Amino acid sequence: MTRTTAFASERNGQRGGRVITVGGRSLIDGQFLAERLGVARTTVWRLAHSGRIGYYVIGRRWFFCESEVVEALRVPATVAGGAKSSPGCA
């Protein structure tokens, strides 16, 4: 799990920002990531809490690097019993 605290500049003119830049890296907030992935925001938090996707903590907010998340989700997760899950597996 990736956790980093740093100063950031915000874009999109919104309080809190949906996209920020830290050290030249663009990070997005959880709501925006959920929209991009087509999942509920709680799914993003569950994936982060479980260690499946990395995140960065800035202040009290969590941000994600979209390319890191996409790469992490491409690797099949191991399910109970040691079997690899498939994309269609529930």
Side-chain angles (χ1 to χ4, degrees), residues 50-85:
S50 71
R52 182 93 194 270
I53 61 175
Y55 61 94
Y56 299 85
V57 178
I58 301 173
R60 293 178 55 195
R61 300 190 55 214
W62 290 21
F63 291 90
F64 305 86
C65 178
E66 187 175 12
S67 61
E68 291 175 4
V69 169
V70 169
E71 185 61 32
L73 295 177
R74 282 189 187 151
V75 178
T78 301
V79 294
K84 297 285 185 180
S85 64

Side-chain angles (χ1 to χ4, degrees), residues 26-68:
S26 292
L27 304 175
I28 59 178
D29 68 12
Q31 179 64 43
F32 190 50
L33 178 60
E35 291 170 10
R36 299 276 294 164
L37 295 176
V39 299
R41 188 174 54 179
T42 54
T43 300
V44 171
W45 303 134
R46 282 188 202 121
L47 289 168
H49 279 289
S50 71
R52 182 93 194 270
I53 61 175
Y55 61 94
Y56 299 85
V57 178
I58 301 173
R60 293 178 55 195
R61 300 190 55 214
W62 290 21
F63 291 90
F64 305 86
C65 178
E66 187 175 12
S67 61
E68 291 175 4

